[in-house]
């Protein structure tokens, strides 16, 4: 009976891995499909049994331990949060993807489905890119984009990073290909992705993450020589983008206007960049007032209220580091930084192309968390997906050319 149930449990886990791959496909396209897929994956993990094996994987994985510790710290922060308990719990549950990451770490143990999951993420971005180009040419009237800002279903804050990471993975894969024509197809995708990020989608984040991943791509491949190669690509590409891309010029002009407005008003006038700068200042002051434990989970409105009466300062500071630090203090911030550091160290130990993917993902997530609350909002599932696929500690896949 027990051996038979063990076989059934393994089959259920394989079904769970399928849903993880489906979630990876949905990440750039649909939050609803993504959430449903990861819910089914979590359900498969729960009903498949074999909890002793899963617990052992978690116990021997520093990334899983750090994620759970951060989630517990945020839960404890609810106990001393000055906001209503129900509101504090809503903010706390926004970090539930920390637990999802731990579940996927103990679920994605086989090589084949981990490879398929990475390929599913790339395939989702191929669909996203096709729809973005159709939007750009006025042939796709659905979604949130326009010909002037060719996003599709999600905002530019995640559209560009997702496309950039997919292009980075595909470029990394191309060096492992034997057929020249296939390599050409891969690099066509990379070129179309770069054009999409630099010329078709508004927002400054795309230009920055593209530069970051270009640098990492050449550095991973050529080490110190790669710094020179990256410079030879980034500098002329930046100049060409500045002169030929209205989106970049508009973005830089808005940034300059935002800075001028911030300096003149002292942060009292709302703007995209001014908001981030002013909220960074307020968050730092809250952290200085409550350095060790923070002001409590979900305490944004209460914590900022005695520092300013501006209505638009009652929410998350749009910076994951500051958001965690002001909620649960330097202790919680230290856990989050250690979590990212553990993932970076684990990336360096991965084999072959998987190492490059891990480095690119962790660098992108660490940098993106400076500009936006990526763990706090729906992007947390993106973290959980790649955490489970790359760092489970099971059989490591060589994620090759099949897609």
């Amino acid at each position: 009976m027990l051996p038979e149930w063990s076989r059934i449990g393994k089959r259920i886990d394989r079904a769970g891995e399928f849903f993880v791959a489906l979630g990876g496909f949905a990440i750039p396209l649909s939050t609803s499909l993504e959430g449903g897929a990861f819910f089914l994956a979590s359900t498969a993990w729960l009903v498949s049994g074999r909890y002793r094996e899963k617990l052992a994987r978690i116990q021997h994985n520093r990334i899983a331990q750090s994620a759970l510790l951060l989630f517990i710290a945020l839960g404890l922060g609810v106990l001393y949060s000055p906001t209503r308990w129900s509101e504090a719990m809503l903010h706390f549950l926004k970090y539930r993807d920390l637990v999802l990451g731990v579940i996927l770490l103990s679920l994605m143990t086989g090589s084949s489905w981990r490879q398929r999951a990475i390929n599913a993420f790339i395939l989702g971005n191929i669909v996203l890119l096709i729809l973005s180009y159709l939007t750009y040419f006025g042939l796709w009237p659905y979604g949130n984009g326009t010909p002037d800002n060719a996003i599709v279903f999600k905002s530019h804050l995640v559209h560009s990073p997702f496309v950039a990471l997919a292009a980075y993975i595909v470029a990394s894969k191309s060096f492992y290909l034997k057929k020249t024509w296939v390599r050409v197809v891969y690099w066509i995708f990379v070129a179309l992705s770069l054009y999409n990020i630099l010329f078709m989608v508004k927002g400054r984040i795309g230009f920055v993450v593209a530069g970051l991943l270009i640098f990492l791509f050449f550095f991973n491949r050529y080490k110190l020589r790669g710094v020179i190669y990256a410079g030879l690509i980034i500098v002329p590409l930046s100049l060409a983008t500045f002169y030929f891309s209205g989106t970049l010029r508009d973005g830089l002009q808005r940034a300059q206007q935002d800075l001028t407005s911030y300096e003149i008003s002292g942060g009292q006038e709302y703007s995209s960049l001014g908001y981030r700068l002013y909220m960074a200042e307020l968050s730092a002051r809250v952290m200085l007032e409550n350095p060790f434990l923070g002001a409590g989970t979900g305490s944004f409105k209460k914590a900022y209220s005695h520092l300013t009466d501006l209505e638009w300062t009652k929410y998350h500071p749009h910076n994951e580091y500051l958001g965690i630090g002001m909620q649960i203090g330097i202790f919680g911030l230290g856990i989050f930084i250690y979590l990212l550091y553990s993932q970076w160290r684990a990336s360096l130990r991965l084999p072959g192309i998987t190492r490059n993917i891990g480095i690119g993902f962790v660098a992108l997530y660490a940098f993106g968390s400076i500009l936006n609350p990526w763990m706090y909002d729906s992007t947390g599932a993106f973290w959980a997906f790649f955490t489970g696929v790359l760092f489970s500690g099971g059989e490591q896949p060589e994620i090759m050319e099949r897609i």
Side-chain angles (χ1 to χ4, degrees), residues 32-33 58 72 96 100 102 106 109 113 122 125 136 157 181 189 224 252 270 276-278 294 305 317 341 371 381 403:
S32 299
L33 179 58
I58 294 171
I72 291 170
R96 61 188 178 275
L100 175 62
V102 174
S106 60
T109 57
W113 273 109
I122 296 171
N125 278 278
Y136 181 68
L157 296 175
W181 72 269
F189 171 78
L224 292 179
L252 292 176
Y270 179 83
R276 285 169 168 78
L277 293 172
Y278 191 53
S305 61
Y341 169 75
L371 304 177
I403 182 169

Side-chain angles (χ1 to χ4, degrees), residues 94-160:
K94 284 183 174 289
Y95 294 96
R96 61 188 178 275
D97 289 320
L98 287 164
V99 177
L100 175 62
V102 174
I103 290 173
L104 301 190
L105 275 169
S106 60
L107 177 65
M108 300 295 291
T109 57
S111 171
S112 58
W113 273 109
R114 290 163 55 148
Q115 176 177 301
R116 291 166 186 157
I118 292 289
N119 289 339
F121 174 77
I122 296 171
L123 184 60
N125 278 278
I126 291 173
V127 174
L128 176 66
L129 204 61
I130 292 171
L131 296 179
S132 182
Y133 271 90
L134 291 175
T135 301
Y136 181 68
F137 290 112
L139 301 175
W140 179 264
Y142 312 104
N144 302 319
T146 64
D148 294 331
N149 185 27
I151 58 174
V152 183
F153 301 116
K154 298 192 175 184
S155 80
H156 68 278
L157 296 175
V158 292
H159 174 108
S160 294

Side-chain angles (χ1 to χ4, degrees), residues 245-259:
S245 172
T247 58
L248 177 57
R249 288 196 301 273
D250 292 344
L252 292 176
Q253 289 173 359
R254 285 197 304 271
Q256 186 177 15
Q257 293 169 359
D258 289 355
L259 285 173

Side-chain angles (χ1 to χ4, degrees), residues 22-318:
L22 179 61
F25 171 79
I27 282 173
L29 296 172
S30 170
T31 302
S32 299
L33 179 58
E34 165 200 301
F38 288 134
F39 172 78
L40 291 173
S42 301
T43 303
W45 178 90
L46 185 64
V47 302
S48 65
R50 302 190 297 133
Y51 302 119
R52 187 172 297 178
E53 290 179 35
K54 295 171 182 175
L55 183 60
R57 294 188 198 116
I58 294 171
Q59 287 177 332
H60 293 90
N61 193 304
R62 290 186 181 180
I63 296 170
Q65 294 168 2
S66 302
L68 287 176
L69 185 59
L70 179 58
F71 189 72
I72 291 170
L74 287 160
L76 292 175
V78 172
L79 301 178
Y80 56 88
S81 177
T83 192
R84 296 192 308 272
W85 183 85
S86 58
E87 184 177 345
M89 283 299 298
L90 287 175
H91 287 283
F92 167 59
L93 291 176
K94 284 183 174 289
Y95 294 96
R96 61 188 178 275
D97 289 320
L98 287 164
V99 177
L100 175 62
V102 174
I103 290 173
L104 301 190
L105 275 169
S106 60
L107 177 65
M108 300 295 291
T109 57
S111 171
S112 58
W113 273 109
R114 290 163 55 148
Q115 176 177 301
R116 291 166 186 157
I118 292 289
N119 289 339
F121 174 77
I122 296 171
L123 184 60
N125 278 278
I126 291 173
V127 174
L128 176 66
L129 204 61
I130 292 171
L131 296 179
S132 182
Y133 271 90
L134 291 175
T135 301
Y136 181 68
F137 290 112
L139 301 175
W140 179 264
Y142 312 104
N144 302 319
T146 64
D148 294 331
N149 185 27
I151 58 174
V152 183
F153 301 116
K154 298 192 175 184
S155 80
H156 68 278
L157 296 175
V158 292
H159 174 108
S160 294
F162 289 165
V163 172
L165 182 60
Y168 169 85
I169 296 171
V170 169
S172 299
K173 279 168 163 278
S174 69
F175 285 103
Y176 291 81
L177 299 173
K178 296 179 180 179
K179 296 180 180 179
T180 302
W181 72 269
V182 179
R183 186 177 296 179
V184 170
V185 171
Y186 274 46
W187 278 99
I188 289 174
F189 171 78
V190 172
L192 290 173
S193 298
L194 280 175
Y195 186 85
N196 180 261
I197 294 167
L198 301 178
F199 293 92
M200 294 168 53
V201 176
K202 291 184 178 180
R204 296 174 290 267
I205 189 171
F207 304 101
V208 181
V209 298
L212 171 67
L213 292 177
I214 288 172
F215 171 81
L216 286 175
F217 171 76
F218 283 101
F219 183 77
N220 286 335
R221 183 69 183 175
Y222 302 106
K223 305 308 177 188
L224 292 179
R225 283 187 301 155
V227 176
I228 299 174
Y229 297 155
L232 293 174
I233 295 294
I234 293 172
V235 172
L237 187 61
S238 300
L239 292 174
T241 305
F242 178 80
Y243 282 107
F244 297 107
S245 172
T247 58
L248 177 57
R249 288 196 301 273
D250 292 344
L252 292 176
Q253 289 173 359
R254 285 197 304 271
Q256 186 177 15
Q257 293 169 359
D258 289 355
L259 285 173
T260 301
S261 174
Y262 176 78
E263 292 173 355
I264 294 175
S265 67
Q268 300 300 299
E269 184 176 331
Y270 179 83
S271 66
S272 176
L273 186 57
Y275 171 85
R276 285 169 168 78
L277 293 172
Y278 191 53
M279 293 305 294
E281 177 186 335
L282 293 180
S283 300
R285 290 167 65 181
V286 172
M287 289 178 66
L288 288 174
E289 293 175 356
N290 310 275
F292 297 107
L293 296 179
T297 301
S299 60
F300 308 115
K301 185 180 295 186
K302 292 286 186 180
Y304 297 139
S305 61
H306 72 285
L307 299 176
T308 180
D309 57 359
L310 295 174
E311 183 61 31
W312 48 267
T313 62
K314 309 305 183 194
Y315 309 101
H316 198 286
H318 271 49

